Amino acid sequence: MKRSNIDAMICKQEGVTELTREIINKIQLEKLNAVLKREKEREGFYRNLPASLESLDDLRTLPFTTGTDLVRDGGRMLLCSQGEVQKVISEQTSGTTGAGKRVFYTERDCEHTIELFMAGLGEFIYPGSTTMVAMPFSGPFGLGELIAEAIRRIGARPLLTGIGRTYGELKTILEREKPDTYVGMPSALLAMLRMCGKGSIKRALVSGDACPDSVMNAIEEILETRLWPHYGSREMGLGGAICCTAHNGMHMRENHCITEIIDEDGNVLPDGEWGELVITTIGMEAQPLIRYRTGDCTRIIPGKCSCGSEVKRL
């Protein structure tokens, strides 16, 4: 079985020739301490934390960051100049008029996300093929644009359908453009496949929304092949974890993000147990977050992936 593309991506980005658990842990601790040092030097939001840690286990002694912190102090979390910011994503809760979360990205942050998307999409998209991108397009460096750029760099053609199209419009696009691959949200994909039938799409990546087993099974029955689920959020640079050919969990971008799973009391759980995902975004230039509580329920799958990768899987 082919090893996950994320291993090659991390090796290239970090300048290493192999990727073992020990090497990953070393990269994470060095990057975490670099973030803590920057916070001290720039008197950032986390300036009162230690300037360095002796081990990754010491991370669990630090306080959590919450969505409320991000709403209230997002600007203070910025560790670069305003001139270096390439993209700001604001999220405002429906029904409220107060401030929403603001997440900042530098050009390098966006480049790292494109490279992650290339690693994930490159598992099943081929040069010369056409991929329907049914994700939001919000201008330069938005989610849809980053996915489309990753597809172009692979040598394939992105078909920018976005969201909000009627299923009649999507059927017409499928018949005219004949894309073989789809990138978008699972419920929209299932509805489109039920309308257009088998053969309308050959392969699909789903992200941006929950995909229950019932929805995944229904999609795979129509596709007659495995689905490629990905995980990401604004706080981790829009891309977080990608599926490999083993189809047994999603490999995290561990050189950019340290993951923990906690219980309701905030205690760190061992691999294999379900709880809330907590992220420390050591690879973000603009706005690194330390122990950010995502609110998402998941688990880390124990052990090495059958593809051979030791990169942790959600």
Side-chain angles (χ1 to χ4, degrees):
M1 182 181 296
K2 184 177 79 70
R3 195 156 175 166
S4 170
N5 284 345
I6 203 166
D7 283 53
M9 182 203 80
I10 294 175
C11 285
K12 181 180 178 182
Q13 289 176 346
E14 303 304 326
V16 297
T17 56
E18 62 175 339
L19 206 60
T20 63
R21 191 67 246 163
E22 292 73 23
I23 291 173
I24 294 168
N25 291 345
K26 183 175 182 289
I27 290 170
Q28 288 187 334
L29 182 59
E30 288 177 354
K31 288 197 167 189
L32 173 59
N33 283 336
V35 169
L36 292 171
K37 184 173 181 287
R38 285 176 67 205
E39 293 285 350
K40 287 288 188 185
E41 292 173 346
R42 298 185 67 97
E43 297 188 347
F45 177 77
Y46 298 107
R47 63 190 179 277
N48 294 324
L49 296 183
S52 67
L53 300 177
E54 292 295 322
S55 72
L56 288 176
D57 288 339
D58 294 337
L59 179 61
R60 65 183 64 189
T61 67
L62 303 185
F64 294 112
T65 305
T66 66
T68 301
D69 294 324
L70 196 53
V71 170
R72 185 182 59 235
D73 295 305
R76 291 178 55 220
M77 294 177 181
L78 189 62
L79 285 188
C80 67
S81 68
Q82 289 287 346
E84 294 175 281
V85 173
Q86 289 288 339
K87 182 72 176 179
V88 182
I89 297 183
S90 297
E91 176 193 21
Q92 194 160 3
T93 305
S94 176
T96 67
T97 57
K101 297 177 186 174
R102 301 189 76 205
V103 184
F104 300 83
Y105 312 97
T106 65
E107 185 174 357
R108 190 179 181 198
D109 291 335
C110 295
E111 180 64 24
H112 284 159
T113 296
I114 292 171
E115 291 173 357
L116 178 74
F117 289 162
M118 288 177 66
L121 293 164
E123 298 283 7
F124 62 95
I125 287 180
Y126 311 103
S129 62
T130 298
T131 298
M132 174 185 286
V133 184
M135 284 292 198
F137 285 84
S138 57
F141 301 105
L143 177 58
E145 289 81 3
L146 296 178
I147 295 171
E149 178 58 22
I151 293 168
R152 292 187 193 100
R153 293 189 191 183
I154 292 171
R157 178 173 73 102
L159 186 60
L160 315 184
T161 57
I163 58 175
R165 301 259 191 174
T166 67
Y167 293 114
E169 289 173 329
L170 291 174
K171 186 174 187 295
T172 299
I173 291 171
L174 285 170
E175 292 170 348
R176 183 180 68 241
E177 302 290 344
K178 294 181 170 51
D180 51 16
T181 314
Y182 169 97
V183 176
M185 299 183 190
S187 57
L189 171 61
L190 179 56
M192 184 181 76
L193 289 174
R194 283 174 169 167
M195 177 178 182
C196 299
K198 293 183 178 181
S200 52
I201 287 288
K202 296 180 181 178
R203 297 172 298 279
L205 180 157
V206 292
S207 189
D209 199 3
C211 186
D213 287 344
S214 58
V215 173
M216 181 176 290
N217 293 338
I219 292 173
E220 290 182 342
E221 183 178 351
I222 299 173
L223 288 177
E224 297 182 331
T225 188
R226 298 298 302 272
L227 200 56
W228 298 82
H230 282 202
Y231 172 78
S233 68
R234 298 171 181 85
E235 294 84 359
M236 61 173 61
L238 298 173
I242 64 174
C243 184
C244 72
T245 54
H247 292 276
N248 184 19
M250 299 170 286
H251 293 275
M252 282 294 303
R253 55 191 298 189
E254 283 204 273
N255 61 326
H256 295 151
C257 186
I258 300 172
T259 58
E260 300 173 273
I261 306 296
I262 62 170
D263 62 20
E264 293 180 353
D265 297 319
N267 301 307
V268 177
L269 296 171
D271 291 356
E273 294 195 23
W274 288 85
E276 181 183 356
L277 175 65
V278 173
I279 58 173
T280 298
T281 54
I282 51 175
M284 296 295 289
E285 279 191 332
Q287 191 186 41
L289 301 173
I290 296 176
R291 304 201 80 200
Y292 179 80
R293 297 185 64 155
T294 65
D296 292 335
C297 181
T298 185
R299 70 185 182 108
I300 294 172
I301 300 173
K304 181 188 294 189
C305 181
S306 58
C307 79
S309 175
E310 294 190 53
V311 176
K312 287 185 178 180
R313 294 164 291 148
L314 293 186

